[in-house]
Amino acid sequence: VRGKKRLSRGSSSSHFHSYSSFLVVMKLAKRGGLPCLCLDSSCADGSLDVHHAVPVRILRAQEWQNHLPPIVNTPDVQLEFQLDRPLRSVVERLKSISPIIYLDGSMTGELVLRIDSENVAIRTFYDKLIPRFDDARDGDDDN
């Protein structure tokens, strides 16, 4: 490939290259009397070894039901953004003003982000979004 330098296996450069394969071992162990998830990774050629011990809390089987992912219904509205429409930067700015952001959307391709705080109420409007009808459920399905 022109314009790109490929590193060989014998290179002494500190950069990673695509020719190395990695091995990762995960295990639950005690470190200093505390349970830890230990991650040991290394390159096949032995040039790099990384060890992490992440402290964890072990749950009893009775506590599992409190930590299951929530059951979420199929959304009534599904909208696609085009890549040139910023959403993340707007959400970050709104989040700095209020911890709660309300979303109002419709299958006509409109979305409103709204915050209401003691000092200010802000609404940001998006239009001409692409509705997705393939996975959205019908509004008359109130069973």
Side-chain angles (χ1 to χ4, degrees), residues 51-62:
H51 306 283
H52 288 286
V54 181
V56 294
R57 193 183 94 181
I58 307 297
L59 296 178
R60 296 172 191 227
Q62 296 86 2

Side-chain angles (χ1 to χ4, degrees), residues 33-126:
L34 298 173
C36 292
L37 181 63
C38 297
L39 303 166
D40 298 327
S41 62
S42 58
C43 283
D45 59 2
S47 63
L48 177 70
D49 289 327
V50 179
H51 306 283
H52 288 286
V54 181
V56 294
R57 193 183 94 181
I58 307 297
L59 296 178
R60 296 172 191 227
Q62 296 86 2
E63 297 177 41
W64 289 358
Q65 64 185 351
N66 299 331
H67 299 280
L68 294 175
I71 298 171
V72 179
N73 294 331
T74 304
D76 294 330
V77 176
Q78 292 186 25
L79 299 171
E80 284 186 33
F81 271 76
Q82 289 140 5
L83 294 176
D84 60 344
R85 307 284 301 260
L87 181 65
R88 183 179 193 145
S89 59
V90 173
V91 169
E92 292 293 329
R93 287 184 183 203
L94 292 175
K95 190 170 69 171
S96 69
I97 299 170
S98 174
I100 299 172
I101 300 174
Y102 299 97
L103 298 172
D104 299 317
S106 70
M107 291 301 280
T108 61
E110 297 175 351
L111 177 68
V112 179
L113 301 177
R114 173 175 56 97
I115 63 167
D116 295 317
S117 70
E118 295 176 6
N119 301 324
V120 70
I122 299 175
R123 285 169 179 65
T124 303
F125 298 90
Y126 289 90

Side-chain angles (χ1 to χ4, degrees), residues 20-41:
S20 292
S21 59
F22 289 92
L23 172 69
V24 178
V25 177
M26 290 181 20
K27 59 185 172 184
L28 185 62
K30 281 194 175 184
R31 299 284 189 251
L34 298 173
C36 292
L37 181 63
C38 297
L39 303 166
D40 298 327
S41 62

